[in-house]
């Protein structure tokens, strides 16, 4: 069974995000970038399926500019077998990403497609759902555990939902999106980074997959969140009660 794993290159979660002076978006110049953390979890799960003998091949795919190939090399160093880079410099919104991934899935015929539950830059949480819809495949989002049956016909997926945990059984092929507690991604070791340089990385254009990536949504304005007011350290409970009553007027 082949596993396709989709990953996005995003601003590093520790980087300070700055809005461009013209408020047209976020300044990406000289900002540290890396693989989206939920995608790292998806890659780790794919590699674990390979190590367990469940998956025969792990194919990593990313859509983005030239530098997205660096994140694909990281996935190869983590243990993916080969990679597909859909090279696109412009903005690619979740619907277009889902269409491109559906086209890659049509070529690769995976038994399972793994994605992150969410990109931490756009926080869309749409791509996996859109992909399952386009393919007409079952989906399980926010997965905290994935078990593929011995005959590889089904997968049992535990999902983190508001009220607790929900366990679903999916017919394969299916789409699964990874939540935080699914696993702890490994670090790519130096020898594996070196080995990854020799693994196959194919580059395609959206046109090769017959997909129009023109954005359907227009960003009108991006703003910094309002600065928080400074807090105050109070000397007694009486003072706190007084302030809550007479200043904040909440009691
Ligand atoms: P989103 O719907 O943007 O929150 O993204 C959810 C997941 O879809 C991500 O964690 C990735 O697995 C996948 N995804 C989103 N954008 C891309 C992209 N440009 N290339 C590959 N995978 C992507």
């Amino acid at each position: 069974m082949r596993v396709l794993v989709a990953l996005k290159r995003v601003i590093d979660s520790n980087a300070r995000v700055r809005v461009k002076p013209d408020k047209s978006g976020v300044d990406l110049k000289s900002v540290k970038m890396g693989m989206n953390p939920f995608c790292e979890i998806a890659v780790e799960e794919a590699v674990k399926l390979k190590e367990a003998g469940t998956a025969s091949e792990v194919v990593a795919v990313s859509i983005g500019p030239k530098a997205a190939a660096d994140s694909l090399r990281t996935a190869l160093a983590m243990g993916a077998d080969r990679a597909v880079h859909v090279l696109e410099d412009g903005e690619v919104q979740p619907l277009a990403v889902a269409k491109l991934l559906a086209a890659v899935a049509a070529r690769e015929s995976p038994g399972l497609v793994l994605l992150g539950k969410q990109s931490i830059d756009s926080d869309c949480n749409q791509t996996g759902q859109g992909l399952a819809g386009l393919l007409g495949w079952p989906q399980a989002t926010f997965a905290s555990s994935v078990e593929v049956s011995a005959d590889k016909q089904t997968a049992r997926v535990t999902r983190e939902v508001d009220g607790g945990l929900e366990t679903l059984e999916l017919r394969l092929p299916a789409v699964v999106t990874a939540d935080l507690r699914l696993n702890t991604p490994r670090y790519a070791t130096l020898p594996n980074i070196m080995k990854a340089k020799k693994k196959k990385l194919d580059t395609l254009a959206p046109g090769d997959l017959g997909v129009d990536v023109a954005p359907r949504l227009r960003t009108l304005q991006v703003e910094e969140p309002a600065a928080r007011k400074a807090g105050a350290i109070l000397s007694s409970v009486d003072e706190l009660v007084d302030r809550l009553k007479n200043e904040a007027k909440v009691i």
Side-chain angles (χ1 to χ4, degrees):
M1 181 181 80
R2 180 172 291 143
V3 175
L4 193 64
V5 57
L7 58 101
K8 185 177 181 187
R9 184 173 171 85
V10 296
I11 293 185
D12 185 274
S13 53
N14 294 314
R16 166 114 174 77
V17 175
R18 267 185 305 267
V19 172
K20 287 185 191 164
D22 66 0
K23 298 191 176 177
S24 62
V26 166
D27 197 350
L28 294 180
K29 273 195 215 112
S30 28
V31 180
K32 191 172 173 227
M33 307 277 286
M35 197 191 305
N36 181 46
F38 294 109
C39 300
E40 286 179 344
I41 297 171
V43 172
E44 175 66 31
E45 198 62 21
V47 172
K48 279 169 81 175
L49 287 169
K50 169 102 195 266
E51 287 169 345
T54 308
S56 51
E57 187 184 32
V58 174
V59 181
V61 53
S62 189
I63 297 123
K66 211 166 163 229
D70 297 348
S71 296
L72 285 170
R73 288 281 172 212
T74 304
L76 293 170
M78 287 171 74
D81 297 292
R82 61 185 171 88
V84 176
H85 180 193
V86 182
L87 186 61
E88 172 56 50
D89 281 322
E91 184 193 5
V92 191
Q93 295 177 347
L95 176 61
V97 174
K99 286 181 182 171
L100 290 165
L101 293 176
V104 173
R107 289 183 167 205
E108 300 282 354
S109 307
L112 183 66
V113 185
L114 286 166
L115 301 93
K117 72 162 179 181
Q118 196 165 333
S119 314
I120 62 159
D121 54 355
S122 61
D123 269 349
C124 282
N125 179 8
Q126 294 170 10
T127 309
Q129 296 87 331
L131 174 64
L134 290 170
L135 291 169
W137 290 2
Q139 63 175 299
T141 51
F142 312 114
S144 60
S145 133
V146 178
E147 283 167 42
V148 175
S149 63
D151 62 5
K152 295 172 196 153
Q153 297 298 305
T154 59
R156 191 172 278 251
V157 179
T158 304
R159 309 180 59 231
E160 298 197 347
V161 294
D162 280 351
L165 298 176
E166 178 186 52
T167 302
L168 300 177
E169 190 164 87
L170 313 179
R171 202 174 7 87
L172 297 180
V175 174
V176 172
T177 74
D179 210 331
L180 199 61
R181 277 161 288 274
L182 181 58
N183 58 50
T184 306
R186 70 195 66 190
Y187 287 103
T189 61
L190 192 58
N192 286 341
I193 292 172
M194 300 312 287
K195 272 190 223 154
K197 290 184 199 251
K198 294 201 180 107
K199 291 188 180 175
K200 192 164 174 241
L201 191 157
D202 289 325
T203 306
L204 301 171
D208 297 335
L209 297 165
V211 176
D212 168 16
V213 296
R216 301 294 198 269
L217 304 170
R218 190 158 48 94
T219 302
L220 300 181
Q221 194 164 302
V222 177
E223 286 186 53
E224 298 263 2
R228 282 177 63 178
K229 284 193 197 143
I233 295 176
L234 307 180
S235 51
S236 68
V237 172
D238 287 346
E239 195 186 345
L240 173 65
V241 172
D242 176 64
R243 294 262 203 126
L244 290 174
K245 220 184 238 174
N246 301 314
E247 241 174 61
K249 299 197 190 319
V250 289
I251 54 171

